[in-house]
Amino acid sequence: MAASGAEGLCGQALLGAVPGAPRCPHGPALLFVKTSQGREEGRRFYACSACRDRKDCNFFQWEDEKVSETRLAAREEYNRNHQPSFTHRQNVERYKNFVQLPLSKRRFCQECQQLLLPAEWEKHSDHQFLCDISTSQLKSPSQLLCPLENKKANAQYLFTDRSCQFLLDLIIDLGFRRVLSVGTPRLHEMIQSNASQEEDFRVRSLLLDIDFRYSQFYTEDEFCHYNMFNHYFFGGEAAHETCRKFLHQDNGERVIMVTDPPFGGLVEALASSFKKLMAMWKDTEEEGPNNQEMPMFWIFPYFFESRILEFFPSFSMMDYQVDYDNHALYKHGKTGRRQSPVRIFTNLTPRMIALPAEEGYRFCTICQRYVSSGNQHCEICNSCTSKDGRRWKHCVLCKKCVKPSWFHCNVCNCCALQTHTCEKADAGCFVCGKAGHKRSACPSLSRTRTACQADKKQRQKILKRVKTGICKRSAMKHAIFFRKKVKNKKKKDTILLAGT
């Protein structure tokens, strides 16, 4: 596996999920290995599958570590205490009671993010409430709940209505009738809302999400508490069977998986889980279309294209820009580098994915796919090469198209920004030249800065002395010249007086 981008003298690489792995509140931990410069193998350890930041989940255990019975018991107790207050089934019953209440008695605790029954008001008396919760609000829980914002574990950047409606229209046009919504709560609720309002609406959805708060609004056949980083169903075998049955309806036909993972998550961990979901779909008793890959939309930034294709070679990237309501940068309609970098990766035939002409997308007859208006076909590459919506230019030396702001650097022998530094990261630290760490983590950085500052002061002193010396010499020359000039003038005046 590729390294996960750890900082400092040591890195870490993901080995994946292994049987019998210890557990944290987010399910089975993943196995990693520490990597060091100049060493073939490092020490293996377990860490939380969902949280890469120890502040969010501090679980850590060496693979060869012997854990005492006391510590194991404490860990089990800790995991139990960090589970939701109610089970999914209890939340379903609570919801039934909640919707029977008159509007004036429907309250939602904003601090606990929980629907409240009248008997629970006193317990939450010092919290902030939302009152008079309407039926339409209950059908749009993603707008009622506060989005989680951990970018690496459970970031909830929610689709705008534009992107959500486009995805749903595309799914319907392609003939799909069931959507496995993995981490896409807004798409799921749009499908659920349409199904409840339109009798002839045939699309159904099953939401798999790590955010257990959605269990307050959906039944056990509509929502499964799921960790997409380790393919873990918190509801156990019952939830796993719910997902399997959903995928196997109609012999597995007309079902598509749509997933929108946190952008800071490990691609290899996500790919492993998605392959397991695909295998669950493919594992049917009857032979048929399940010999192929399960249709899928993976929504992710375009700069992860090479990583996604590493695990799913059959995938291709569409030019459609997916945007989000609660993300400051990922907005449609902005220009240049401000455009949303989020795209749709799919194993469906590209020409089948029709993009809206009213937004400037057009069909390239050579590439046989829809592209953005700024994505011009390169005759040398024989492809529409732009990734970010701008028109890219072909570099003869690099033998590929590059961003319009890039220029070929003869030192680096590749294209880059004009302001780039020609030193390459793989040559080692920019400060000390040693491999294994970056400039920001260099142990000699402070010494180097001190030395540079000392050198600078020394140069300033020398320069000051030089300038002082030059000024003195100049003043002396000027004084000598002035004295000579005065002396010559006096001599001249004396001669003139003598002559008269």
Side-chain angles (χ1 to χ4, degrees):
M1 291 291 183
S4 62
E7 298 288 336
L9 295 174
C10 293
Q12 60 186 33
L14 174 66
L15 298 178
V18 295
R23 300 192 176 198
C24 70
H26 304 94
L30 295 179
L31 183 63
F32 296 83
V33 59
K34 278 189 175 293
T35 56
S36 308
Q37 188 71 23
R39 296 183 182 180
E40 293 184 1
E41 293 184 3
R43 194 175 180 186
R44 298 185 176 193
F45 65 94
Y46 292 103
C48 177
S49 60
C51 304
R52 291 170 61 192
D53 193 332
R54 296 283 296 276
K55 293 179 182 178
D56 300 312
C57 181
N58 62 1
F59 180 84
F60 181 92
Q61 179 185 316
W62 294 111
E63 183 189 29
D64 55 1
E65 181 180 357
K66 292 182 179 180
V67 183
S68 66
E69 292 295 329
T70 303
R71 187 178 167 192
L72 285 174
R75 180 183 293 170
E76 289 296 326
E77 181 66 19
Y78 178 85
N79 291 346
R80 280 195 299 269
N81 292 336
H82 283 76
Q83 294 307 312
S85 302
F86 300 101
T87 65
H88 194 169
R89 185 160 298 176
Q90 288 173 329
N91 274 336
V92 171
E93 292 300 319
R94 286 167 51 81
Y95 183 84
K96 291 178 181 178
N97 295 329
F98 188 88
V99 295
Q100 291 176 357
L101 295 171
L103 194 64
S104 60
K105 291 189 176 183
R106 293 183 183 180
R107 293 188 181 183
F108 177 77
C109 180
Q110 290 182 295
E111 293 188 36
C112 300
Q113 294 287 285
Q114 182 180 318
L115 297 174
L116 298 180
L117 298 174
E120 300 164 342
W121 290 359
E122 181 64 28
K123 185 179 178 180
H124 299 260
S125 59
D126 57 341
H127 295 176
Q128 292 291 323
F129 292 146
L130 283 179
C131 300
D132 303 335
I133 304 300
S134 65
T135 302
S136 61
Q137 286 178 295
L138 293 174
K139 291 185 181 297
S140 302
S142 68
Q143 298 183 25
L144 186 62
L145 299 169
C146 293
L148 302 175
E149 295 182 347
N150 184 321
K151 295 180 181 180
K152 297 179 180 178
N154 48 18
Q156 289 179 326
Y157 295 129
L158 304 168
F159 296 143
T160 58
D161 288 341
R162 162 194 169 267
S163 291
C164 202
Q165 191 63 56
F166 166 76
L167 286 169
L168 181 54
D169 291 343
L170 180 61
I171 288 167
I172 294 173
D173 292 342
L174 292 172
F176 295 108
R177 292 295 176 263
R178 294 191 316 288
V179 181
L180 185 64
S181 303
V182 185
T184 57
R186 187 152 286 182
L187 176 63
H188 174 74
E189 73 182 33
M190 180 176 282
I191 293 173
Q192 294 293 102
S193 179
N194 288 350
S196 65
Q197 296 174 11
E198 304 173 21
E199 291 185 4
D200 58 344
F201 190 81
R202 302 302 179 191
V203 180
R204 295 294 180 267
S205 173
L206 173 63
L207 176 63
L208 306 185
D209 203 289
I210 199 170
D211 188 355
F212 189 69
R213 297 177 302 173
Y214 284 104
S215 67
Q216 299 177 87
F217 305 92
Y218 301 121
T219 67
E220 292 166 296
D221 291 330
E222 298 169 334
F223 169 77
C224 291
H225 192 199
Y226 176 77
N227 183 348
M228 69 175 77
F229 291 100
N230 58 2
H231 186 60
Y232 179 66
F233 288 88
F234 292 85
E237 187 57 36
H240 188 278
E241 183 63 16
T242 297
C243 182
R244 192 194 69 82
K245 285 184 178 179
F246 181 82
L247 294 176
H248 286 193
Q249 290 177 23
D250 301 327
N251 293 325
E253 294 182 352
R254 300 193 298 175
V255 60
I256 184 171
M257 176 165 60
V258 182
T259 182
D260 182 32
F263 302 150
L266 291 169
V267 174
E268 47 267 66
L270 294 168
S272 175
S273 294
F274 298 156
K275 287 184 177 181
K276 290 175 182 176
L277 288 172
M278 286 179 162
M280 189 188 299
W281 167 82
K282 190 175 181 179
D283 185 21
T284 56
E285 295 180 358
E286 298 182 14
E287 294 293 331
N290 295 336
N291 293 326
Q292 306 299 319
E293 274 188 339
M294 177 184 179
M296 180 177 172
F297 290 157
W298 182 343
I299 298 167
F300 225 49
Y302 70 81
F303 37 80
F304 284 99
E305 181 182 19
S306 61
R307 297 288 289 133
I308 292 176
L309 296 183
E310 179 182 343
F311 297 100
F312 294 101
S314 63
F315 278 34
S316 55
M317 187 183 79
M318 303 295 100
D319 275 19
Y320 183 82
Q321 294 182 16
V322 180
D323 58 340
Y324 298 83
D325 266 342
N326 58 326
H327 197 291
L329 299 178
Y330 294 178
K331 298 287 187 182
H332 172 70
K334 293 187 177 182
T335 58
R337 295 173 64 87
R338 295 181 178 272
Q339 297 179 89
S340 172
V342 186
R343 301 291 185 266
I344 300 173
F345 294 86
T346 182
N347 51 2
L348 297 176
T349 306
R351 66 172 179 272
M352 298 170 59
I353 314 299
L355 305 185
E358 61 272 16
E359 294 184 13
Y361 297 101
R362 58 181 178 80
F363 187 76
C364 176
T365 55
I366 304 175
C367 294
Q368 285 292 293
R369 69 182 182 96
Y370 286 83
V371 297
S372 62
S373 57
N375 195 356
Q376 300 297 315
H377 192 88
C378 175
E379 295 182 356
I380 302 174
C381 297
N382 194 28
S383 175
C384 293
T385 53
S386 174
K387 308 294 184 185
D388 60 8
R390 297 178 292 172
R391 182 171 184 174
W392 286 20
K393 61 183 181 181
H394 190 86
C395 176
V396 178
L397 297 176
C398 290
K399 297 181 181 180
K400 65 179 182 179
C401 286
V402 298
K403 295 180 179 181
S405 56
W406 287 13
F407 296 88
H408 194 85
C409 175
N410 293 324
V411 177
C412 299
N413 195 29
C414 66
C415 284
L417 289 169
Q418 282 187 318
T419 56
H420 81 287
T421 303
C422 289
E423 298 155 314
K424 293 187 177 180
D426 58 359
C429 172
F430 294 165
V431 177
C432 66
K434 295 180 181 179
H437 64 272
K438 296 183 179 181
R439 174 170 50 192
S440 59
C442 182
S444 60
L445 184 61
S446 58
R447 295 195 298 271
T448 304
R449 284 177 177 169
T450 303
C452 289
Q453 289 173 355
D455 289 344
K456 186 177 180 180
K457 289 181 179 179
Q458 186 67 20
R459 287 196 303 270
Q460 288 176 344
K461 288 181 180 178
I462 294 172
L463 184 61
K464 186 176 181 179
R465 287 199 298 268
V466 169
K467 286 183 176 179
T468 304
I470 291 173
C471 291
K472 286 182 177 179
R473 287 196 297 271
S474 178
M476 289 175 63
K477 285 182 180 179
H478 185 270
I480 293 170
F481 175 78
F482 182 78
R483 284 198 296 271
K484 284 183 178 180
K485 188 176 181 181
V486 171
K487 186 176 180 180
N488 290 337
K489 186 178 181 182
K490 286 182 178 180
K491 186 184 289 187
K492 187 177 180 180
D493 291 341
T494 304
I495 294 171
L496 289 172
L497 289 173
T500 56

